[in-house]
Amino acid sequence: MARIKATVAYDGTHFSGWQVQPLEKAPTGRTIQQVVEEALTRFHKGREVKVSAAGRTDAGVHAYGQVIHFDTDISMPAEKWPEALLGHLPPDVQFVQAEYAADDFNAREQATGKEYRYRVLRRRQRDVFRRNYTYHLYGPLDIVAMREAAATLTGTHDYTSFCGTNTAIINKVRTIQEIELAESEDELEFIYRGTGFLYHMVRIMTGTILDIGSGKIQAGTAGDILAAKDRRRAGKTVPGHGLYLHRVDY
Amino acid sequence: MARIKATVAYDGTHFSGWQVQPLEKAPTGRTIQQVVEEALTRFHKGREVKVSAAGRTDAGVHAYGQVIHFDTDISMPAEKWPEALLGHLPPDVQFVQAEYAADDFNAREQATGKEYRYRVLRRRQRDVFRRNYTYHLYGPLDIVAMREAAATLTGTHDYTSFCGTNTAIINKVRTIQEIELAESEDELEFIYRGTGFLYHMVRIMTGTILDIGSGKIQAGTAGDILAAKDRRRAGKTVPGHGLYLHRVDY
C-alpha cells in the first residue's frame, strides 16, 4: 500500500459540498467526496477507497487546489493519476496533480496554511457566464475602509464573531496572515491566507468587509466586532458560489 | 404597439439551442426562444408574445450579443426592459440592452454583419471551469499555416465546403471580412466577422483551420477545399460549446 497526495479541482455548482456537513440536517445532492471515492473505487476494481481532504467546502463552493490523500495498492508513476482517473470522474471534478506521500501523511492535519479566494462581480447587470462563479453586488464601496477592516482582521485572534454558529469547534483562535483586496475590470477579489479557517469564516469576513464598504456597518468598527466574540455583531454570510479553495500548503 | 430591439446574452450549456432546428429530428430540451417568449408572455399578463432572432444558435452555443425583436403594447422606457424581465427569465438568459425600433425592423433580415467567436483551450489538462465554454484541444499547432488558411478563407466565396449538409439553403455565397486568430495565455480565439454565415459554418471553418494547424489537413490547401464545394473535403465540425454569437450589426 502507498499513500497518494493529490490536488483536486472542482466546479462546486452542482454539488452539495465536499461532504454533507455532520451538523447539516437534510442530506441533499451529490458530494465531491462521494464522486471521488466512487471513481477511485471503480479504478481499484471495486475495492473501496476512502479519501480525506484538507478542507471541507460547502455547497456551491469551488476549488482550484483542494488536497486529498488516499491509499492505493496500484503501482504506477504518481503523475499518471490525473489521466488515469479522467474517464472515471464527472466533468466537474478533476485531479490536477498527484504524488507519493509518507505513509502517515494527512491532508487535513498536516496542512500548514490555506488560501481562499472570494470573487465579487461589481457591475449593474448580472452576467450569465459568471452567475455560478461570482457573487453579484452592485453599488459604491469604500475600498479604503474595507482595506482598513481587512488589516484589522488579520493576525492571531479569537474569531468567534466570524464563525457560523452551526459548528462543534470550541477553540476559535486562528491566524490570518493576509487579507488582500484585488480589484480588476469589473470584479473585486478577496484573497485570504491563513493557517486555519473556521466554519463559514471566509464568507462571514467577506460579508462583513463588504458591509463596511457599503456603509451598512460603520467603518472603523472591525476591531469592536472581533472583540465582541459574537456572531450577531458581524455582517452577512455571502453565498458559497463566490468562494474558491485556492491552495493548501504543507 | 411598438417594436423593441433587444440584445440578449445566454449561457447555452443547458439549452438545445435558440430554437429546435427545422430539420432536426428529435426535439429535445428547452430552447432560448421558448424561455424568452415565456418570460415576455408572462410579463404581458398572458398575452402571447413572439420573438425573432438575428441568428439561430445550436445546442450548447453561447451568446453575448444575440439580437431579437418583438412587439409590445406595454409602454415603458425601452432601457427598462432588462430589469423588468429579470425575475421572469431563468438565470442563464439575460436581456443586456433594449431600445425602440422602427415598426418594420427585423432582427434577422436587417442584420448587416455578425461576429462569432470560437474559444479553444490549449493545455494538456482540461479545466473544470471552462469545460462548457471552450473546446479543449492539446498539441502543437502551426499558427502561421493557420493564419494563412484563415486569410484564404476570407472574402466572398461559395462556402458549400463549409456548410453542414443538414440545410435547405441553396445559395451558399457569403462574405467573410475577417478571420482573426487571437492567442492568449492558454487559449486560442477565432474571431469571425462576416455579413452572413451558413449552417455550422463557423464550426466547420474552425475545425478545418485547426486540422491544418495540427497537420491533419495539409497546409496551403484551404483554397482547394473552398474550390471543391464539397463538405467532405473540409475538416471536422468542432463542438458547439466553444462558440459565441458575439455581436450583430445593423
Side-chain angles (χ1 to χ4, degrees), chain B residues 10-229:
Chain B
Y10 46 85
D11 175 344
T13 305
H14 302 295
F15 286 103
S16 300
W18 170 258
Q19 66 165 101
V20 173
Q21 294 286 335
L23 294 173
E24 246 165 66
K25 272 156 208 157
T28 40
R30 61 209 269 267
T31 69
I32 301 124
Q33 181 178 17
Q34 187 188 332
V35 304
V36 169
E37 289 180 346
E38 279 169 11
L40 284 168
T41 299
R42 226 172 304 131
F43 193 69
H44 286 77
K45 306 198 154 86
R47 266 165 299 135
E48 202 181 50
V49 179
K50 289 285 175 195
V51 305
S52 195
R56 288 171 194 164
T57 53
D58 292 326
V61 175
H62 313 289
Y64 273 101
Q66 172 73 282
V67 175
I68 65 169
H69 76 258
F70 62 92
D71 292 323
T72 183
D73 55 5
I74 293 175
S75 86
M76 81 178 159
E79 68 271 20
K80 296 278 186 197
W81 279 98
E83 232 174 283
L85 291 174
L86 252 184
H88 297 280
L89 286 167
D92 43 2
V93 179
Q94 89 187 101
F95 270 47
V96 169
Q97 196 261 354
E99 62 194 73
Y100 283 105
D103 285 349
D104 63 349
F105 171 75
N106 187 299
R108 187 173 61 79
E109 290 166 14
Q110 287 168 25
T112 56
K114 274 184 206 147
E115 181 177 317
Y116 281 96
R117 298 191 171 201
Y118 196 92
R119 283 171 63 186
V120 178
L121 178 63
R122 296 191 61 194
R123 55 177 224 177
R124 191 183 179 82
Q125 286 197 329
R126 63 200 176 98
D127 177 353
V128 286
F129 296 105
R130 284 179 282 180
R131 70 193 189 283
N132 296 320
Y133 307 112
T134 56
Y135 169 48
H136 180 208
L137 185 74
Y138 182 65
L141 290 177
D142 180 345
I143 299 284
V144 173
M146 292 168 72
R147 289 219 162 95
E148 198 182 278
T152 303
L153 296 178
T154 55
T156 301
H157 304 284
D158 180 322
Y159 285 98
T160 299
S161 296
F162 300 94
C163 179
T165 50
N166 194 11
T167 181
I169 297 272
I170 292 170
N171 177 3
K172 292 174 182 168
V173 175
R174 296 291 184 277
T175 299
I176 305 298
Q177 288 115 346
E178 195 181 8
I179 307 175
E180 190 187 323
L181 272 64
E183 291 181 277
S184 61
E185 209 185 336
D186 57 4
E187 290 195 21
L188 173 63
E189 190 168 34
F190 292 72
I191 304 169
Y192 294 85
R193 296 184 188 94
T195 54
F197 292 85
L198 298 163
Y199 182 61
H200 279 181
M201 183 165 165
V202 174
R203 291 164 59 184
I204 299 170
M205 290 181 96
T206 304
T208 304
I209 298 170
L210 285 170
D211 280 351
I212 285 171
S214 69
K216 205 173 288 177
I217 293 179
Q218 209 191 317
T221 62
D224 300 340
I225 296 169
L226 194 58
K229 293 179 197 163

Side-chain angles (χ1 to χ4, degrees), chain A residues 8 11-12 31 48 61 81 85 112 121 130 145 174 184 216 229 244:
Chain A
V8 180
D11 175 343
T31 69
E48 200 181 52
V61 176
W81 278 98
L85 291 175
T112 55
L121 178 62
R130 284 180 282 181
R174 294 291 182 277
S184 61
K216 205 173 286 176
K229 294 179 197 165
Y244 297 75

Side-chain angles (χ1 to χ4, degrees), chain A residues 141-216:
Chain A
L141 290 176
D142 180 345
I143 299 285
V144 174
M146 291 167 73
R147 290 218 161 97
E148 197 183 279
T152 303
L153 296 178
T154 57
T156 301
H157 303 284
D158 180 321
Y159 284 98
T160 299
S161 296
F162 300 94
C163 179
T165 49
N166 194 10
T167 181
I169 297 273
I170 292 170
N171 178 3
K172 291 175 183 168
V173 175
R174 294 291 182 277
T175 299
I176 305 298
Q177 288 114 346
E178 195 180 8
I179 307 174
E180 190 186 324
L181 272 63
E183 291 180 277
S184 61
E185 208 184 337
D186 57 4
E187 290 195 21
L188 173 64
E189 189 168 36
F190 291 73
I191 304 170
Y192 294 87
R193 296 184 189 97
T195 55
F197 291 85
L198 299 163
Y199 182 61
H200 279 182
M201 183 166 166
V202 173
R203 291 163 60 184
I204 299 171
M205 289 182 98
T206 304
T208 304
I209 297 170
L210 284 170
D211 280 351
I212 285 170
S214 70
K216 205 173 286 176

